[in-house]
Amino acid sequence: MSGAIHNCHLHLFTIDNIPENFIPFGLQTIMRLDPLRTLVVSGLKVADPFGKRDLFERYGNLMRLTYGKSQEDLFAVVRSYYPAGTRFVILPMDMEFMKKGRVPKDIHHQHAELARLRDKFPDLIIPFAHVDPRRPNVEKMLRKLVEEDGFKGVKIYPPLGYSPSDSVLMEQIYPYMQEKGLPLMAHCSKGGVRMDGLSAKEAARFADPDGYVRVMEAFPDLRICLGHFGGQDDWKAYLDEPWDPTVTKASTNWLSKILDLIRSGKYPNLFADISYTVFSIGENLPLLKVLLADTQVQNQVLFGSDFYMAEQEKMTERRVSIALRSELSPTVFWKIAEENPKRYL
Ligand SMILES: [Zn+2]
């Protein structure tokens, strides 16, 4: 059996779609100048004067991969890693409300560019709209994107400063999505970007899988994917720091929280994708293989890579995809790469 691979988690936004002060101390402007960029990025990686190595690496990577490029240029790269006919869910990012300054090309620009790209590759690109509940008239924006521009789902990123049960989402966005059958993609890991002023802990509270229980109870038909399956750190903790079930009843590990939700059988419309988490660290592949031996889990996992976020790591997109395909049985691979995505989408 073989069909079309569906990569359910992908980004094509560029350096112009992130806020001007994403990197502090005016370094962003300096880094835009080509010869200085490499110097600054590698210098900061070694010296790490601000204790923000992660941020600099992420930004340097973003800069390296997207500077002067369009969404179409980036799409050409990711498409080259996969067989012809592969379909890609593209997730825009609205970072205007993260309190890091003006965004040179705002979310409307980003959505419009994505719609044009989809018009060029209508069979390959599945565009999602980024919804930040703090954006004025966001419901109107979403309706237009869906009804006039053919967008197929919604992306949210709670660590940017809001809860998944924010009143705008609960009262305006989810009811509309449930009515139209639009799936939700939610960033669900303790890593990634966050709103300025939030501690890592506060940002994590917004992304916590527990926050979706209320949403799923209120909107049982809404299909939700928790992106990154709880995240790399929690996968590592799952392996290295097992908990004693006699001491703590409920684990705080996000991977196990999501597994519990899936295994409860109460949430058939809940999915988790393996993007970044499995793509950035090869050692997570054996764990994934073991988890997928459970048929219930197998039915609710989606293939996704998080291109180009995982590109900074040691393995390329194609290497991981092929490792994954060779490790999983063809039945399981096609289940997470085609059958489940079709149900989710
Ligand atoms: Zn992502």
Side-chain angles (χ1 to χ4, degrees):
M1 170 190 157
S2 77
I5 294 177
H6 288 60
N7 185 333
C8 296
H9 192 130
L10 218 72
H11 304 290
L12 298 179
F13 64 89
T14 71
I15 206 77
D16 292 324
N17 302 129
I18 72 163
E20 280 173 342
N21 307 318
F22 189 81
I23 289 285
F25 318 112
L27 282 167
Q28 198 144 327
T29 320
I30 297 172
M31 282 163 84
R32 281 179 174 262
L33 306 169
D34 193 24
L36 290 173
R37 178 158 67 242
T38 326
L39 208 69
V40 173
V41 172
S42 47
L44 287 170
K45 261 195 211 171
V46 179
D48 196 26
F50 312 109
K52 290 184 166 42
R53 191 186 302 265
D54 247 30
L55 185 67
F56 288 123
E57 278 207 60
R58 192 175 284 269
Y59 183 79
N61 190 48
L62 191 79
M63 192 68 129
R64 180 172 60 80
L65 291 159
T66 78
Y67 186 76
K69 303 251 172 71
S70 64
Q71 294 192 36
E72 185 167 355
D73 295 332
L74 292 170
F75 182 60
V77 175
V78 70
R79 198 159 49 108
S80 70
Y81 292 136
Y82 291 90
T86 299
R87 307 187 72 204
F88 301 91
V89 171
I90 312 298
L91 307 168
M93 282 292 279
D94 182 356
M95 291 187 259
E96 195 137 356
F97 302 92
M98 69 185 296
K99 299 182 179 168
K100 294 210 172 166
R102 202 180 67 93
V103 174
K105 287 185 180 171
D106 71 9
I107 189 64
H108 304 301
H109 196 286
Q110 201 186 139
H111 283 147
E113 191 183 338
L114 176 55
R116 284 195 299 274
L117 186 60
R118 187 272 329 273
D119 291 344
K120 274 197 175 174
F121 302 97
D123 300 330
L124 306 184
I125 287 195
I126 303 164
F128 273 37
H130 192 114
V131 167
D132 186 313
R134 295 163 297 184
R135 176 169 288 287
N137 303 314
V138 74
E139 187 205 355
K140 207 173 142 206
M141 179 198 83
L142 177 62
R143 281 179 185 268
K144 188 192 165 290
L145 288 170
V146 170
E147 289 161 33
E148 292 172 30
D149 304 323
F151 278 58
K152 300 290 185 201
V154 167
K155 158 87 169 183
I156 59 169
Y157 201 106
L160 291 178
Y162 54 90
S163 146
S165 52
D166 178 280
S167 63
V168 171
L169 296 173
M170 294 297 275
E171 287 159 26
Q172 301 173 27
I173 302 298
Y174 300 147
Y176 176 70
M177 290 176 67
Q178 188 168 257
E179 178 202 319
K180 293 279 176 187
L182 300 166
L184 177 73
M185 173 63 79
H187 176 90
C188 183
S189 84
K190 290 172 187 165
V193 297
R194 59 178 188 262
M195 183 172 71
D196 209 32
L198 283 185
S199 68
K201 224 177 174 175
E202 286 163 337
R205 211 169 295 139
F206 287 131
D208 196 309
D210 289 344
Y212 293 89
V213 172
R214 240 188 95 188
V215 180
M216 293 188 292
E217 302 286 348
F219 302 95
D221 295 332
L222 181 65
R223 298 183 302 283
I224 300 177
C225 177
L226 299 181
H228 318 302
F229 217 147
Q232 206 181 87
D233 292 351
D234 282 38
W235 277 56
K236 190 172 174 2
Y238 185 94
L239 293 168
D240 294 339
E241 303 155 28
W243 52 94
D244 179 352
T246 61
V247 178
T248 39
K249 263 201 227 127
S251 162
T252 55
N253 184 284
W254 287 13
L255 168 57
S256 70
K257 277 187 188 185
I258 297 171
L259 290 170
D260 285 349
L261 290 171
I262 290 175
R263 287 176 181 144
S264 74
K266 287 199 293 195
Y267 310 108
N269 288 319
L270 175 67
F271 296 83
D273 80 46
I274 59 170
S275 68
Y276 197 86
T277 302
V278 171
F279 270 70
S280 59
I281 294 197
E283 72 173 24
N284 283 335
L285 197 47
L287 174 54
L288 176 69
K289 215 174 148 179
V290 170
L291 297 177
L292 289 176
D294 177 336
T295 47
Q296 180 127 34
V297 175
Q298 209 183 89
N299 284 328
Q300 289 172 251
V301 170
L302 304 177
F303 172 74
S305 66
D306 210 17
F307 175 84
Y308 44 84
M309 297 303 168
E311 285 277 292
Q312 60 200 321
E313 311 292 341
K314 307 279 173 289
M315 303 220 294
T316 68
E317 185 100 3
R318 178 171 264 174
R319 280 181 194 282
V320 189
S321 302
I322 287 180
L324 194 70
R325 253 178 108 163
S326 84
E327 285 292 319
L328 304 178
S329 74
T331 321
V332 174
F333 177 78
W334 287 106
K335 196 169 236 182
I336 70 166
E338 185 178 38
E339 205 180 308
N340 297 347
K342 281 182 172 167
R343 225 169 66 241
Y344 165 69
L345 291 163

